[in-house]
Amino acid sequence: MADTRHTKVLIIGSGPAGYTAGVYASRAMLEPILVQGMEPGGQLTTTTEVENWPGHSEIQGPDLMVNMEAHARAMGTEIISDLITSIDMSKRPFTAQSDSGTVYTADAVILATGARAKWLGLESEEKFKGFGVSACATCDGFFYRGQEIVVIGGGNTAVEEALFLTNFASKVTLIHRRDELRSEKILEDRLMKNEKIEPLWLHELVEVVGDENPLGVTGVRAKHVKTGEITEIPCKGVFVAIGHAPANELVKDTLETHMGGYVVTKPDSTETSVPGIFAAGDLTDHKYRQAVTSAGMGCMAALEAERFLAEQGGEEG
Ligand code: FAD
Ligand code: NAP
């Protein structure tokens, strides 16, 4: 028979939102269970320096997340390495099935499943994924020592990845579909001053080209968005950094979503369309998508879950 665990508050996700919810729910004596998912620590484990987490002018993303995990654990959060595969929100307690076979039942749930990298959707991108095409410079940059690399995108992630990749690459071409970046100015400044980086404005990637045997990238073809002219760029690595989409698989058919799948919460609140289910962090936030705002929403979700449970206790008693 499946192992069943009951908790007052089940927190799904181990990014800044999940761990902060853990700290607050623990301090409210709610003895939360937090399920970490496939990416313990979340998106910040895929980056290097974080320079906008208050209290640290610079901290490595993975270190920050190890600290947050330790903090949540020290306050009393039970942290479990498991993956939630479905949630039944039709009645309380809510029931979550997991990859390990454990069934979690919970009086309230905090969804903090964050966001995942988007892909361009090209056939050739799919073909060379893991063989020269990547969405994580910190994970794969090391393989391209002394090689030429292409980065796609014009946001903070693309600029940071391009800068980071200059530690390994002989040259980085940043291909962006417009002629201005949407990244922070401080990052744009660093990019423009870096002699190893060459921006290619107003271009879109149309094809990744490479060898069959062994499978590997040899270059890309990029099209000018106005003239249609094709430019061929030799490279060994292609890093796609075109943004992130909310990780909403568990709830997209049951909760209200908007703006491309972000879970809708009530104004100034983390309450979703189902009472007792709260959502925090990048899963709900199409606008700011920062570690500190995610952590703030994790705090709000735990405080709101506490109030919800107190009201339920009042109703039952
Ligand atoms: P995430 O960090 O996305 O974490 C989601 C968590 O949910 C993961 O632990 C995952 O395992 C878990 N999960 C997902 N599905 C399930 C499931 N089914 N069951 C259980 N668990 C599940 N922001 C900044 O403020 N400063 C920066 O310098 C910065 N740098 C960044 C660099 C990069 C390369 C990237 C990609 C993002 C960066 N960001 C930065 C943005 C920041 O990382 C996010 O805003 C933040 O991590 C969002 O936190 P979150 O808790 O909502 O979710
Ligand atoms: P983003 O800000 O959404 O930027 C995505 C970029 O990719 C944009 O420049 C966009 O072009 C381009 N793009 C999107 N779809 C494309 C397509 N199909 N083809 C070609 N280009 C495409 O995403 P992000 O850079 O991943 O950042 C996500 C969030 O994390 C942001 O809120 C960001 O601030 C945060 N973050 C923060 C830091 C930091 O604080 N240091 C670091 C990394 C990320 P357009 O510009 O034309 O739309």
Side-chain angles (χ1 to χ4, degrees):
M1 219 178 82
D3 179 25
T4 300
R5 295 287 316 274
H6 182 73
T7 177
K8 291 189 197 88
V9 181
L10 176 66
I11 301 166
I12 305 176
S14 56
Y19 284 143
T20 307
V23 169
Y24 276 79
S26 299
R27 285 172 53 81
M29 311 303 274
L30 295 173
E31 299 170 337
I33 287 180
L34 182 152
V35 176
Q36 287 181 305
M38 297 278 272
E39 193 175 43
Q43 292 171 64
L44 283 186
T45 61
T46 68
T47 191
T48 49
E49 291 88 12
V50 174
E51 297 177 348
N52 49 17
W53 181 258
H56 291 274
S57 52
E58 184 180 312
I59 183 167
Q60 295 292 309
D63 293 343
L64 178 59
M65 297 319 299
V66 165
N67 293 349
M68 281 194 210
E69 177 178 346
H71 189 173
R73 208 184 283 281
M75 291 295 123
T77 307
E78 185 180 349
I79 295 174
I80 299 180
S81 171
D82 201 352
L83 178 77
I84 301 299
T85 49
S86 66
I87 314 176
D88 180 357
M89 301 182 203
S90 61
K91 55 183 184 312
R92 289 201 294 267
F94 304 111
T95 306
Q97 307 290 331
S98 77
D99 200 41
S100 69
T102 300
V103 176
Y104 300 89
T105 59
D107 301 320
V109 172
I110 296 176
L111 300 163
T113 52
R116 295 204 186 94
K118 281 199 239 172
W119 295 93
L120 290 160
L122 300 171
E123 226 172 86
S124 55
E125 170 192 61
E126 190 58 37
K127 176 175 170 180
F128 290 105
K129 255 187 213 169
F131 296 91
V133 173
S134 168
C136 178
T138 46
C139 317
D140 300 330
F142 187 69
F143 300 122
Y144 301 95
R145 273 163 298 166
Q147 314 273 13
E148 296 191 13
I149 292 177
V150 158
V151 174
I152 318 293
N156 276 336
T157 302
V159 174
E160 280 193 345
E161 300 226 326
L163 288 164
F164 175 72
L165 288 165
T166 59
N167 292 322
F168 313 102
S170 55
K171 180 181 173 192
V172 177
T173 306
L174 181 86
I175 302 181
H176 183 34
R177 63 185 177 183
R178 293 187 298 132
D179 58 359
E180 61 178 340
L181 298 167
R182 66 166 65 240
S183 61
E184 287 171 39
K185 291 297 165 221
I186 188 169
L187 293 174
E188 180 173 345
D189 237 39
R190 285 180 203 162
L191 181 104
M192 293 317 226
K193 284 185 187 142
N194 194 309
E195 286 173 1
K196 278 192 178 178
I197 302 176
E198 188 177 313
L200 182 63
W201 306 115
L202 297 169
H203 276 74
E204 275 175 353
L205 187 75
V206 286
E207 191 184 0
V208 181
V209 288
D211 291 331
E212 289 294 328
N213 201 4
L215 202 58
V217 171
T218 55
V220 294
R221 301 175 75 237
K223 186 173 83 176
H224 194 287
V225 294
K226 289 184 179 154
T227 64
E229 192 186 332
I230 298 285
T231 301
E232 300 199 355
I233 304 162
C235 65
K236 290 285 181 198
V238 180
F239 288 82
V240 179
I242 59 164
H244 287 76
N248 65 8
E249 298 80 4
L250 291 174
V251 296
K252 66 178 183 329
D253 298 327
T254 37
L255 292 183
E256 197 186 328
T257 61
H258 67 165
M259 312 286 289
Y262 291 88
V263 169
V264 174
T265 53
K266 295 190 179 149
D268 302 324
S269 166
T270 61
E271 288 174 30
T272 67
S273 46
V274 175
I277 304 278
F278 302 87
D282 278 13
L283 174 66
T284 72
D285 178 12
H286 58 89
K287 194 168 175 190
Y288 302 107
R289 296 173 297 166
Q290 301 294 305
V292 70
T293 44
S294 298
M297 284 186 256
C299 156
M300 288 164 64
L303 295 177
E304 290 181 318
E306 181 190 7
R307 195 176 326 129
F308 170 81
L309 292 173
E311 282 165 9
Q312 296 303 306
E315 278 169 25
E316 279 160 24

